[in-house]
Amino acid sequence: MKTLDQIEITPRVALRGDSPGPVTREDLNEIRPFHVNVPEAELTELRRRIKATKWPERETVTDATQGVQLATIQALARYWATEYDWRKIEAKLNALPQFITEIDGLDIHFIHVRSKHENALPLIVTHGWPGSIIEQMKIIDPLTNPTAHGASASDAFDLVIPSMPGYGFSGRPTTTGWDPAHIARAWIVLMKRLGYTRFVAQGGDWGDAVSEQMTLQAPPELLGIHVNMPATVPADVAKALRYNEPPPTGLSAEERHAYDQLDFFYKHGVGYAIEMGNRPQTLYGIADSPVGLAGWILDHDASSYALISRVFDGQPGGLTRDDVLDNITLYWLTGTAISSARLFWESKLAFFDVKNVSIPVAVSVFPDEIYAAPRSWAERAYPKLIHYNKLDKGGHFAAWEQPQLFATELRAAFKSLRGDKATALNR
């Protein structure tokens, strides 16, 4: 077997263990400290590839209806090649406790920050696509160190933030089967391996799918979940959207707004998911070209693209240019463009359909999400709805874009689930 210093999670980035030595079968449950160490040659090669991009002509419209606009992606590329500094986010990552552990034959990378406060509630947070652990870094201190952010010690969390299989610094599956249900099982194993006998879960995008699948597996340790892109769409609405039928009669104004948002997304915004769900291996261009990868990641949903394009047009927003490029560069350096895309192929879930979750659920609705889940739908989808709130700003990448609002939501969402039985162990 290779030593930990020889293990390469990807062809571009090596993660090093603090205690090198042979890995034996008895060590499979071991939790190994890791840090990021990107060779300078890889960053030089990245900049060379960006500068060598072969550009198409400009779009023939004045808006984004044909996709990511040439001016936006060229502004991104200029900054990426000449000013962006990966070492800044690398240092921030290495300042956090990061680990690798093997679950079901695959290395799983995760950040694990324990709060200094007693009785902190253990929380596992799952990112989505095209996100990563970069999305959650801004919420770590507000959640684990609440007294420094205007909250009380009783609001503290122990935080676990894993990289999904095929994403970031986790291993890339070499066989099929790593769908949201499998990831959910792995997360339960991870939390128990960390010594937690009671915990909660959070997610948006794929993180919602994984968190809801955790509930369906009914582990007694899971007290409840919080989601910011919930699966609440009733069956009649889902059918109308799927078959391009008229919306069901009797929808309230709030429900009709959600229907219209979903109708727009299915007709104009879901192309990336269709391609990755059917032919992920075909996307060689995003594994070969950093600018191709950036364009693919930027073109997620209309509101997110508008937010990102404003940033590269010099307008203020919830994200910075470095935020956007930290995430894209992580995908590039770890070589996970294709392995992350395969999750869409693996999953057979109807993403927004009700999943019959029976444990406590909290929902936060951010206005620029793909769709704003109405309270009425949330109450039907989650019979134990313990929190529902509509925010006045924020979108698909809520934790990344509005970390203080997001942290406030999580404190409120799980307040009713705290208690002696939810105390973190092995402190």
Side-chain angles (χ1 to χ4, degrees):
M1 297 286 287
K2 293 182 178 181
T3 67
L4 294 179
D5 276 344
Q6 294 171 324
I7 292 175
E8 287 198 358
I9 302 303
T10 76
R12 295 191 177 112
V13 177
L15 299 182
R16 294 185 175 181
D18 292 342
S19 303
V23 180
T24 66
R25 184 163 296 278
E26 289 73 26
D27 296 326
L28 292 182
N29 290 349
E30 181 188 8
I31 295 171
R32 313 186 305 265
F34 269 74
H35 68 271
V36 187
N37 182 25
V38 176
E40 187 62 33
E42 291 296 335
L43 300 176
T44 300
E45 173 64 7
L46 169 59
R47 290 188 286 268
R48 185 198 69 79
R49 284 175 173 261
I50 296 168
K51 292 175 182 177
T53 300
K54 184 177 181 180
W55 297 102
E57 68 280 358
R58 180 190 177 280
E59 63 277 2
T60 58
V61 293
T62 58
D63 55 25
T65 55
Q66 292 183 353
V68 177
Q69 293 153 294
L70 184 64
T72 296
I73 199 71
Q74 287 186 328
L76 179 151
R78 282 192 297 272
Y79 182 77
W80 202 4
T82 61
E83 297 182 58
Y84 172 74
D85 183 3
W86 163 261
R87 297 301 183 194
K88 292 181 180 179
I89 190 65
E90 184 178 271
K92 290 179 182 178
L93 283 165
N94 287 332
L96 295 168
Q98 296 180 86
F99 304 91
I100 293 281
T101 193
E102 184 178 318
I103 300 176
D104 293 348
L106 194 71
D107 277 339
I108 300 297
H109 165 266
F110 61 99
I111 296 168
H112 183 202
V113 181
R114 293 184 184 272
S115 175
K116 66 181 180 181
H117 297 294
E118 293 295 326
N119 301 324
L121 179 62
L123 167 65
I124 183 167
V125 181
T126 309
H127 65 80
W129 186 95
S132 66
I133 56 169
I134 301 293
E135 284 183 73
Q136 282 87 33
M137 290 178 66
K138 295 178 186 177
I139 64 171
I140 293 174
D141 199 63
L143 292 178
T144 60
N145 187 22
T147 55
H149 297 268
S152 68
S154 61
D155 292 317
F157 292 89
D158 274 5
L159 206 53
V160 179
I161 305 173
S163 298
M164 288 196 297
Y167 287 70
F169 302 124
S170 282
R172 293 172 294 172
T174 57
T175 59
T176 60
W178 278 96
D179 61 1
H182 193 168
I183 297 171
R185 290 193 298 273
W187 280 192
I188 295 166
V189 170
L190 174 60
M191 293 301 279
K192 293 168 72 172
R193 189 172 293 178
L194 292 173
Y196 294 124
T197 61
R198 295 290 188 272
F199 57 87
V200 292
Q202 196 286 326
D205 196 86
W206 282 118
D208 167 73
V210 170
S211 298
E212 293 202 10
Q213 289 299 307
M214 289 175 72
T215 74
L216 299 184
Q217 292 164 27
E221 298 85 1
L222 183 60
L223 300 174
I225 66 171
H226 171 275
V227 292
N228 58 289
M229 197 182 80
T232 68
V233 178
D236 58 341
V237 174
K239 177 177 177 292
L241 290 164
R242 191 169 294 123
Y243 296 107
N244 199 26
E245 298 173 351
T249 59
L251 296 181
S252 68
E254 185 182 36
E255 292 168 342
R256 180 57 193 259
H257 175 64
Y259 177 94
D260 290 340
Q261 288 178 304
L262 287 165
D263 188 46
F264 177 86
F265 179 67
Y266 286 143
K267 288 176 178 175
H268 304 288
V270 78
Y272 70 91
I274 293 172
E275 178 64 15
M276 291 191 289
N278 283 284
R279 313 287 283 181
Q281 194 67 28
T282 299
L283 297 170
Y284 295 101
I286 65 174
D288 182 65
S289 165
V291 169
L293 175 64
W296 188 253
I297 285 178
L298 259 60
D299 201 7
H300 181 267
D301 67 277
S303 294
S304 295
Y305 172 66
L307 168 68
I308 292 169
S309 62
R310 287 198 302 270
V311 170
F312 285 96
D313 194 32
Q315 301 179 42
L319 300 177
T320 67
R321 293 181 297 180
D322 281 2
D323 285 333
V324 175
L325 287 171
D326 288 342
N327 184 59
I328 297 172
T329 307
L330 178 63
Y331 273 82
W332 176 260
L333 293 173
T334 56
T336 51
I338 302 299
S339 57
S340 62
R342 290 196 190 104
L343 181 56
F344 289 79
W345 185 91
E346 289 283 358
S347 179
K348 303 301 185 288
L349 299 174
F351 211 100
F352 297 114
D353 290 8
V354 174
K355 304 299 188 301
N356 300 313
V357 175
S358 59
I359 73 169
V361 178
V363 173
S364 297
V365 177
F366 291 86
D368 292 327
E369 182 55 90
I370 290 172
Y371 89 106
R375 179 185 289 271
S376 58
W377 291 2
E379 289 173 343
R380 277 180 275 170
Y382 308 122
K384 294 184 179 178
L385 186 68
I386 56 172
H387 173 85
Y388 176 94
N389 190 33
K390 297 181 75 171
L391 288 300
D392 60 0
K393 59 182 177 179
H396 187 71
F397 303 101
W400 199 18
E401 180 195 347
Q402 300 293 338
Q404 295 301 327
L405 282 178
F406 194 86
T408 299
E409 279 297 287
L410 289 190
R411 295 182 197 121
F414 291 123
K415 190 170 289 290
S416 66
L417 298 183
R418 292 180 180 271
D420 293 341
K421 292 184 178 181
T423 300
L425 300 183
N426 294 345
R427 304 191 61 78

